[in-house]
Amino acid sequence: MTALVSETTAPISAGASSAAVASVLAVCQAALAGDLERRIPAVPDDADLDAVRVAINGLLDVVDAYVRESSASLHYAAESRFYRRFIVRGMPGSFRAGAVQINEAIAAMAATHARLEEQEEERLRLADGFESAVLAMADQVAAAAVEMESASRDLASTADGTALRAVEVSRRSEEHTSELQ
């Protein structure tokens, strides 16, 4: 990672160590407040203070990259776009371990998302199958009702015919009975 130096801040001159410390403090406080863009300007005549500057600016570079990469990869994962992984190149130590863990979590989310989609497709297939079975049964019940109605009409017609014949037989029987008397 390369150290970024603010373009608007001039290098701190020799003998201005209190100004250099103030600059270091301001950048550290800005970072603490969430501003990871600011960097400490060069301290050309104080090797120790310049080494502190390089270390702090390097730390800010790594932290800034970590925040950007984790934000980007998790943003995509939140939108079910699991192809955007944390780029671990250049991440040292715990930052790398955290990046690897984020990538593993995204891979687990992708697998879970795929399983949920498969389960949803299976539920839709089952619902379609259930709907087809219910419709087929409804068709069978409707056909049976039509057959029962037809059979009922036939029975009613047969019963009417039988009643008429019974009345006719009874009338004739009475006629024969009266003739015999």
Side-chain angles (χ1 to χ4, degrees):
M1 304 256 160
T2 59
L4 301 176
V5 177
S6 173
E7 294 176 15
T8 59
T9 306
I12 299 169
S13 62
S17 63
S18 63
V21 171
S23 179
V24 169
L25 183 60
V27 170
C28 288
Q29 287 174 333
L32 182 61
D35 178 3
L36 299 176
E37 302 298 318
R38 293 180 60 186
R39 297 296 183 267
I40 302 166
V43 185
D45 293 331
D46 189 335
D48 291 337
L49 201 50
D50 200 53
V52 170
R53 174 195 67 85
V54 169
I56 291 173
N57 285 348
L59 173 63
L60 289 172
D61 289 343
V62 172
V63 170
D64 185 40
Y66 186 86
V67 168
R68 289 175 191 271
E69 279 299 310
S70 60
S71 295
S73 58
L74 293 173
H75 172 78
Y76 279 85
E79 294 177 348
S80 299
R81 297 187 296 170
F82 303 105
Y83 56 84
R84 173 59 166 89
R85 301 302 171 110
F86 193 116
I87 300 171
V88 297
R89 184 183 70 247
M91 290 287 127
S94 294
F95 292 105
R96 177 178 289 277
V100 168
Q101 190 170 18
I102 288 172
N103 284 341
E104 289 171 355
I106 290 171
M109 286 187 268
T112 299
H113 184 266
R115 279 193 309 275
L116 289 172
E117 283 184 335
E118 289 171 5
Q119 290 172 354
E120 179 64 20
E121 289 172 9
E122 180 62 22
R123 277 192 293 279
L124 291 174
R125 279 193 294 276
L126 288 172
D128 288 346
F130 180 72
E131 181 182 17
S132 296
V134 168
L135 289 175
M137 290 177 84
D139 289 345
Q140 290 175 353
V141 168
V146 168
E147 287 179 27
M148 288 176 67
E149 182 183 9
S150 177
S152 174
R153 283 190 189 140
D154 289 348
L155 285 173
S157 176
T158 301
D160 287 344
T162 302
L164 288 174
R165 279 187 235 116
V167 168
E168 183 61 28
V169 167
S170 174
R171 187 187 58 78
R172 285 188 186 170
S173 174
E174 283 180 17
E175 283 178 5
H176 283 313
T177 305
S178 10
E179 286 178 7
L180 288 176
Q181 290 176 351

